[in-house]
Structure formats: C-alpha cells, structure tokens
C-alpha cells in the first residue's frame, strides 16, 4: 500500500553508462516531480509533470530525460552518467500542481564510480 | 531572487528539551510555507503547511509560526524525543507567474537529540 514508490533503492554504476529510475504513485494524483538531493542534503527540483505534461524543467543537463507513460508513473532516464550525478533522487506527487501537500518516495541513491 | 534560508545549520539538544528552528524567505508572490521532517535515508514527510493568512499551526509537539510581513517562520519542538533527530526542511511555494507550482527549499537544519 505504498503511496509513492521508487526502484531501485540503490544504484551503483560506472561513468558513461545509461540508467533509469522508476517512480509510481497509487494516490491518483495529477502531478509528479523529480528532485535531486546532493551530499549536503540540499533538495532541488528537477522536473514536474502534470497529467503527463512537462510543467517544470529546471536547468538540468539534457542527459536527464523524464518520461511519463501515464499519470501514475514518472521515470527518469540518465544518459552518459558522470561522477557529479551521484546523489539521492526523490520522486514526489501531489494531487494538483497547486496542491499544498507533496508526498515523497523513499529515494534512490545513485553512486557513479 | 527567490530564496529560503534556514538557521541554525545544525543543532544538538538533550532529550526532553525544547528547541526552535528558523526560516527566512524572499519568495514572492508567496502561496504557502511548509515544514518537512526528513529522517536519515528516507524521503521528507510533511509536518505543517501554512498559507499567508495563518500565523500558527500545530502538529503534536511541533508548532510552526509564520509572519508573512517579515517573511519569517519558526518551528518549535517541545519535549524533544530521540526520534526527533532528523533534518528539518523549510519549503516555500510560489503563488503565480514564474513561481507558480514551484517549491523553494531551504538547506535544512540537522537536529540531533541526545539521551
């Protein structure tokens, strides 16, 4: 009965590889987000999708490509991974784009070696 | 520039004591302010959410205050418990225009409660 789930929880990979992180929410929400949390614990929004439509796209390298096959899923694909991509990536969802409440997933710790 | 500043960066208190965390923001126009608790290795969990018209909101031992005029908020924790050890993050939401739907995060206050 997990509200927002992410897979995998841990991801260790080498520079130059391509990897994907999956996110699913079973709350019936319209809006989903991807955040990056760096080693200093600073959370920064990367993308926001509302009803499968890209709403927010912060200054993120185009090696990062979000894909929303349906309202309940927002996956993050990363090409040509770099050392600086190592971080914890959080998926979140909210009922609407202006909803006060956002529900976060457990995070995916990505380590690039 | 829309920013959220939190202080202190870290705090250590003894179990049973009270503490207050601060958050100053410059986000405008402003919609709401949230306090999140993030346990180590977990995603953030919402503690309180306040709109510009609310001055205070409580959630158990957590009480948040908001002064929209001075753009300041505080989170007061009473009778701290070991389980309060976590990072507390202040998040401000924009209301319209370029800030619509955007969340602005503070860097968090790392609270450690010692027995």
């Amino acid at each position: 009965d997990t509200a927002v789930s992410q897979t995998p929880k841990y991801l260790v990979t080498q520079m130059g590889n391509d990897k994907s992180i999956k996110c699913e929410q079973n709350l019936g929400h319209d809006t989903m987000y991807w955040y990056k949390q760096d080693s200093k614990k600073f959370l920064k929004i990367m993308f926001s999708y509302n009803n499968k439509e890209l709403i927010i796209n912060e200054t993120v390298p185009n090696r990062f490509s979000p894909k929303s096959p349906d309202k309940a899923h927002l996956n993050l694909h990363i090409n040509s991974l770099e050392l600086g991509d190592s971080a914890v990536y959080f998926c979140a969802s909210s009922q609407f784009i202006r909803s006060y409440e956002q529900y976060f997933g457990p995070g995916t710790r990505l380590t690039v070696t | 520039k829309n920013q959220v500043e939190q202080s202190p960066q870290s705090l250590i208190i003894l179990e049973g004591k009270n503490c207050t965390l601060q958050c100053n923001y410059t986000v405008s126009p402003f919609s709401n302010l949230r306090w999140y608790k993030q346990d180590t290795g977990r995603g953030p969990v919402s503690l309180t959410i306040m709109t510009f018209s609310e001055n205070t909101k409580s959630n158990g031992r957590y009480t948040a205050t908001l002064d929209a005029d001075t753009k300041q908020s505080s989170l007061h924790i009473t009778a701290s418990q070991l389980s309060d050890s976590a990072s507390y993050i202040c998040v401000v939401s924009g209301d319209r225009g370029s800030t619509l739907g955007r969340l602005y995060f503070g860097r968090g206050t790392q609270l450690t409660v010692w027995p």
Side-chain angles (χ1 to χ4, degrees), chain B residues 2-69:
Chain B
N2 295 305
Q3 286 185 316
V4 179
E5 301 286 343
Q6 290 187 243
S7 62
Q9 188 174 359
S10 61
L11 180 63
I12 300 175
I13 62 173
L14 293 178
E15 188 178 12
K17 298 297 185 182
N18 305 334
C19 67
T20 300
L21 315 180
Q22 300 290 346
C23 174
N24 298 335
Y25 64 93
T26 59
V27 178
S28 182
F30 159 81
S31 174
N32 60 78
L33 185 146
R34 321 162 190 206
W35 283 94
Y36 282 89
K37 178 186 179 189
Q38 185 176 18
D39 293 314
T40 301
R42 309 288 291 271
V45 174
S46 179
L47 291 176
T48 64
I49 301 174
M50 290 183 291
T51 64
F52 64 88
S53 61
E54 295 176 292
N55 300 114
T56 184
K57 184 163 280 190
S58 292
N59 178 359
R61 295 179 296 102
Y62 301 100
T63 300
T65 64
L66 174 64
D67 186 334
D69 292 330

Side-chain angles (χ1 to χ4, degrees), chain A residues 9 33 35 37-38 40-45 48 55-58 90 97-107 109, chain B residues 31-32 34 36 38 40-46 49 51 87 89 93-96 100-103 105-108 110:
Chain A
K9 189 166 175 58
Y33 311 81
Y35 290 89
Q37 188 170 45
D38 59 27
K40 296 183 179 179
K41 303 294 182 67
F42 185 46
L43 265 168
K44 189 172 181 181
I45 191 166
S48 170
I55 300 297
I56 295 173
N57 183 352
E58 292 298 314
F90 286 99
I97 192 167
R98 296 189 71 169
S99 290
Y100 292 171
E101 190 69 72
Q102 284 196 7
Y103 295 83
F104 283 81
R109 181 174 291 279
Chain B
S31 174
N32 60 78
R34 321 162 190 206
Y36 282 89
Q38 185 176 18
T40 301
R42 309 288 291 271
V45 174
S46 179
I49 301 174
T51 64
S87 179
I89 304 171
S93 175
D95 182 49
R96 57 187 179 274
L100 175 63
R102 293 180 181 271
L103 297 183
F105 286 78
R107 290 185 174 271
Q110 183 64 46

Side-chain angles (χ1 to χ4, degrees), chain B residues 104-115:
Chain B
Y104 299 86
F105 286 78
R107 290 185 174 271
T109 293
Q110 183 64 46
L111 174 66
T112 303
V113 180
W114 282 2

Side-chain angles (χ1 to χ4, degrees), chain A residues 40-41 49 52 63 76:
Chain A
K40 296 183 179 179
K41 303 294 182 67
Y49 268 74
K52 300 188 340 179
R63 298 182 293 104
L76 183 65

